[in-house]
Amino acid sequence: MKLKDYLKERFSCLLINFIGFFSLVCILLLLDIKGNVIFSILILWFFPLMSYILIEYMKAKKHYNHMEGLLESLDEKYLLSEIMQKPTCLEEKLFYEILRICNKSMHEHVNEYKNLQLEYREYIETWVHEIKTPIASSMLIIENNKSEGMDNIGQEIKKIDGFVEQALYYARSSHVSQDYLIKKFDLVKVINHTIRRNAKDFIHKKIDLQLDEINEEVYSDIKWVQFILHQIISNAIKYMKEQDGKIKIYAKKNKNNVILIIEDNGIGISEKDLHKVFEKGYTGEHGRKYTASTGMGLYLCKKLCQKLGLAISITSQLGVGTKVNITFPLSKFHLES
């Protein structure tokens, strides 16, 4: 708070006092009152007034500096009214009560929207679990009635299953902290699970899989990591070249982390699209060629990695291939927390 701004706020008070004083001076001059008397009146008039204004300015400056300090120290600024001291002067009391009422109203609205969001999330989870049953039944029927037509239907149902799973993880992605369990697990266990899940696609597209011997153990939630890895390998398969497709999976262990690398020689990503691939709904040039692209898979991967404390990055060259790195920190902090 600057003194100049504070005085501007009291301009009308000062102006009235100056007008009053000069009116008095005019009267005193007409009465032939001596100058030293007028000067004494000036001192007696303005000294108490200016002293009062300066003292009030110092008190106000101290109060608002304290408030600013409290506000800066808070991560959740809206909690200010909960921790600030109840003021003593009338003006600040009124302001405090208004702030408290506004804060209470805001909390009520936030809780209302939280409940709506929770209700929607529970509905999506229930719907996904219900839709999984007919999907699984359909896949079983297809397995028992082998034919080219059934295989094609099976591929389409598998896509539906993938989109349904994306919907489930999207609904849960805002509440990962309530739904994860950090444990130590063998990285190869997750990789093998994902490869088995996509085995038919590897065979159908005649993709050469190069899987290095991976013995590293990492800390994370195995279920979420399986989803992330499935999205990445599904993308690698989807955007594979028609001939001589190759996917290589290997890991590097460093002092503080383990990096899982999924590398393919697919159609790659153009440079102008590469920095946007993690954006929600962004499909780029491939989205116009492949109608099944939704732009949600990598967005969810990035979001879930951030929630789990993992790092994910992509490098790619159009027509050459794509490399995805997932970094697992090697720290027992996750277990202890």
Side-chain angles (χ1 to χ4, degrees):
M1 179 188 287
K2 294 181 179 176
L3 180 59
K4 184 177 71 174
D5 297 329
Y6 187 80
L7 291 177
K8 274 184 183 177
E9 288 292 312
R10 280 137 190 89
F11 175 76
S12 56
C13 172
L14 291 170
L15 181 64
I16 290 170
N17 275 277
F18 277 112
I19 291 172
F21 175 73
F22 281 111
S23 299
L24 180 62
V25 167
C26 290
I27 295 170
L28 293 175
L29 288 174
L30 289 173
L31 296 173
D32 200 22
I33 303 297
K34 292 181 179 177
N36 55 350
V37 175
I38 295 173
F39 181 74
S40 300
I41 293 173
L42 171 71
I43 299 298
L44 290 172
W45 185 304
F46 283 102
F47 181 74
L49 175 66
M50 296 308 296
S51 298
Y52 172 76
I53 289 176
L54 283 174
I55 289 170
E56 288 299 308
Y57 166 72
M58 296 297 289
K59 285 168 63 178
K61 183 177 172 60
K62 184 179 177 182
H63 176 70
Y64 288 114
N65 283 347
H66 175 66
M67 295 281 288
E68 284 180 356
L70 280 178
L71 193 63
E72 287 177 5
S73 67
L74 286 173
D75 291 330
E76 296 170 332
K77 310 294 185 191
Y78 58 87
L79 292 175
L80 179 65
S81 64
E82 304 290 334
I83 63 167
M84 63 185 287
Q85 291 180 348
K86 195 171 181 179
T88 53
C89 74
L90 179 61
E91 188 178 337
E92 290 176 1
K93 273 183 182 177
L94 292 172
F95 178 74
Y96 173 79
E97 285 302 319
I98 291 169
L99 188 63
R100 198 177 61 80
I101 292 168
C102 290
N103 203 31
K104 184 182 175 187
S105 175
M106 186 269 294
H107 277 297
E108 288 172 354
H109 276 81
V110 168
N111 286 333
E112 183 182 341
Y113 285 110
K114 275 184 177 177
N115 291 334
L116 287 172
Q117 190 182 31
L118 179 63
E119 189 178 323
Y120 179 71
R121 180 194 164 195
E122 287 174 348
Y123 167 72
I124 290 291
E125 289 184 351
T126 305
W127 179 84
V128 167
H129 287 303
E130 287 179 355
I131 201 72
K132 282 277 187 184
T133 304
I135 287 174
S137 300
S138 301
M139 294 300 288
L140 189 61
I141 293 168
I142 290 166
E143 287 292 324
N144 293 329
N145 295 275
K146 289 283 186 182
S147 70
E148 187 177 347
M150 282 293 186
D151 284 345
N152 292 335
I153 294 172
Q155 289 298 320
E156 297 305 314
I157 291 179
K158 189 183 173 189
K159 288 178 187 174
I160 294 171
D161 190 38
F163 290 137
V164 167
E165 188 182 52
Q166 272 191 0
L168 176 64
Y169 278 82
Y170 181 73
R172 289 176 173 174
S173 62
S174 298
H175 303 275
V176 174
S177 58
Q178 299 170 10
D179 193 36
Y180 71 36
L181 180 61
I182 301 296
K183 290 175 70 176
K184 184 168 73 173
F185 60 87
D186 293 327
L187 196 51
V188 70
K189 186 177 177 182
V190 178
I191 297 167
N192 287 336
H193 174 272
T194 311
I195 290 170
R196 283 196 300 274
R197 189 175 172 186
N198 293 279
K200 283 188 176 180
D201 290 329
F202 275 104
I203 296 168
H204 179 70
K205 290 198 171 186
K206 298 178 182 176
I207 296 171
D208 178 23
L209 174 64
Q210 293 184 12
L211 179 61
D212 283 7
E213 188 175 346
I214 298 173
N215 299 314
E216 279 71 24
E217 293 178 326
V218 295
Y219 299 91
S220 193
D221 182 293
I222 190 167
K223 183 178 63 177
W224 296 90
V225 174
Q226 281 174 353
F227 173 79
I228 293 166
L229 196 56
H230 173 65
Q231 295 299 310
I232 293 166
I233 290 182
S234 295
N235 274 352
I237 293 171
K238 188 192 301 180
Y239 300 118
M240 186 57 68
K241 292 173 183 173
E242 292 184 0
Q243 293 182 340
D244 302 323
K246 189 184 294 181
I247 294 177
K248 185 179 180 183
I249 303 174
Y250 55 102
K252 287 182 181 177
K253 185 172 184 179
N254 301 311
K255 184 179 178 183
N256 298 317
N257 58 46
V258 171
I259 303 175
L260 177 64
I261 301 150
I262 304 101
E263 192 174 343
D264 67 66
N265 66 342
I267 61 176
I269 304 167
S270 67
E271 190 176 347
K272 67 176 183 179
D273 287 337
L274 192 58
H275 67 288
K276 295 181 178 177
V277 293
F278 290 119
E279 292 181 7
K280 185 179 178 182
Y282 187 79
T283 57
E285 288 183 2
H286 296 335
R288 288 182 279 278
K289 296 176 185 175
Y290 300 85
T291 54
S293 299
T294 62
M296 293 301 292
L298 287 177
Y299 164 74
L300 279 173
C301 288
K302 181 76 173 182
K303 190 173 183 180
L304 295 179
C305 281
Q306 287 175 338
K307 299 279 185 181
L308 293 171
L310 310 179
I312 183 169
S313 62
I314 289 184
T315 54
S316 185
Q317 190 176 345
L318 197 61
V320 177
T322 303
K323 185 196 285 188
V324 181
N325 289 4
I326 304 175
T327 304
F328 296 84
L330 286 180
S331 167
K332 292 185 178 179
F333 168 77
H334 293 93
L335 287 177
E336 291 166 358
S337 63

